Amino acid sequence: GKLTGLDAWANEMAAQCIPYTDKSKVVGKIIYTLEEEEILSEIRTNITTYFQECFVRFVVGDMDLDDDWDAYLKELEDMGLNEYLEIAQNAYNRMHKK
């Protein structure tokens, strides 16, 4: 659908940056295997939900950057962030070997 609000603004700002992009650093399309996508999908859903909740809590002061940041990062690791990054890196390497 059509983007609105902050999403529309962010999309517009990103589009304006395209002429200044170093194309040698742009990641091309990555195609995951079915097994990889199943794992990534579950991890992505959990991490996205947790990130959105914590983002709001940090903004409104319910979580403190100094006191809660390490626990936030630990929870992301416990949710599979490192596994997610490893799968993504392996797929990238598979697709963009030189």
Side-chain angles (χ1 to χ4, degrees):
K2 185 175 179 180
L3 298 176
T4 59
L6 186 56
D7 290 332
W9 176 84
N11 194 49
E12 182 181 326
M13 292 299 106
Q16 290 180 17
C17 293
I18 290 173
Y20 307 101
T21 303
D22 180 351
K23 303 225 184 325
S24 70
K25 296 183 180 182
V26 174
V27 175
K29 185 175 185 175
I30 298 176
I31 299 173
Y32 296 102
T33 66
L34 182 58
E35 180 182 357
E36 289 170 335
E37 186 53 48
E38 287 174 357
I39 295 167
L40 292 176
S41 179
E42 182 177 342
I43 295 171
R44 184 185 309 118
T45 298
N46 293 335
I47 286 178
T48 299
T49 300
Y50 179 67
F51 163 78
Q52 290 170 340
E53 290 171 3
C54 290
F55 179 82
V56 171
R57 292 180 67 197
F58 280 122
V59 169
V60 299
D62 188 36
M63 289 177 78
D64 181 80
L65 285 172
D66 293 325
D67 295 337
D68 298 317
W69 188 252
D70 289 340
Y72 168 72
L73 294 179
K74 173 79 169 83
E75 184 62 25
L76 288 174
E77 289 177 9
D78 291 346
M79 296 175 105
L81 179 60
N82 291 332
E83 180 181 12
Y84 186 98
L85 294 174
E86 182 179 340
I87 290 169
Q89 185 65 56
N90 288 339
Y92 174 86
N93 292 345
R94 181 177 62 242
M95 303 254 342
H96 298 282
K97 272 188 187 176
K98 291 187 178 192

